[in-house]
Amino acid sequence: MKLFLRPAILAGALVAASIAFAQSAAPAKVADTSKGKALVDAKGMTLYTFDRDTAGKSSCNGQCAQNWPPLMAAAGAAASGEWSVITRDDGSKQWAYKGKPLYLWVKDTKPGEVTGDGVNNVWHVAAP
């Protein structure tokens, strides 16, 4: 019996470790752009911050969020290091870096584009 128990325990531990790793993986990575190093999503699309946000709170809702889609976090996502999860006005979850909520820009169509930087002097490439 002990031979069958040990592999089952090992398999359970591996599954638990895999889940923990997946949950602790950063929601974005760093990439080189024409504006220097920037945070980008899993598809390589540049992420931005909004000057009108306050620490841990998004001020971009409605039409703003249609033009600047939030970097959404899964329901079970957890803060780790400089990454945090904020709750948006509609109850959904959004990733923030160093307390600043992160967004994409609908007019960026290819990975690495930074056309949202400086829009209305309030949107900026999210720097690592």
Side-chain angles (χ1 to χ4, degrees):
M1 277 288 198
K2 287 184 180 179
L3 291 176
F4 293 110
L5 183 58
R6 286 186 183 140
I9 291 171
L10 178 60
L14 288 173
V15 168
S18 296
I19 291 170
F21 176 75
Q23 289 178 342
S24 67
K29 57 188 176 182
V30 177
D32 290 316
T33 71
S34 62
K35 300 279 184 171
K37 297 217 179 281
L39 293 176
V40 299
D41 73 359
K43 297 176 184 173
M45 301 302 288
T46 303
L47 295 169
Y48 298 89
T49 59
F50 184 39
D51 285 348
R52 295 188 183 139
D53 286 343
T54 55
K57 173 86 172 97
S58 171
S59 297
C60 182
N61 297 289
Q63 184 63 45
C64 177
Q66 289 179 18
N67 292 325
W68 299 91
L71 180 62
M72 301 306 291
S80 177
E82 295 180 303
W83 296 97
S84 56
V85 178
I86 65 164
T87 302
R88 296 182 50 74
D89 287 355
D90 65 4
S92 62
K93 304 293 184 184
Q94 178 179 0
W95 283 109
Y97 182 71
K98 296 183 180 179
K100 295 180 180 183
L102 296 172
Y103 306 86
L104 298 154
W105 170 230
V106 295
K107 293 186 179 178
D108 282 349
T109 59
K110 296 181 291 205
E113 285 187 333
V114 290
T115 64
D117 191 48
V119 170
N120 295 330
N121 294 318
V122 294
W123 290 96
H124 310 283
V125 168

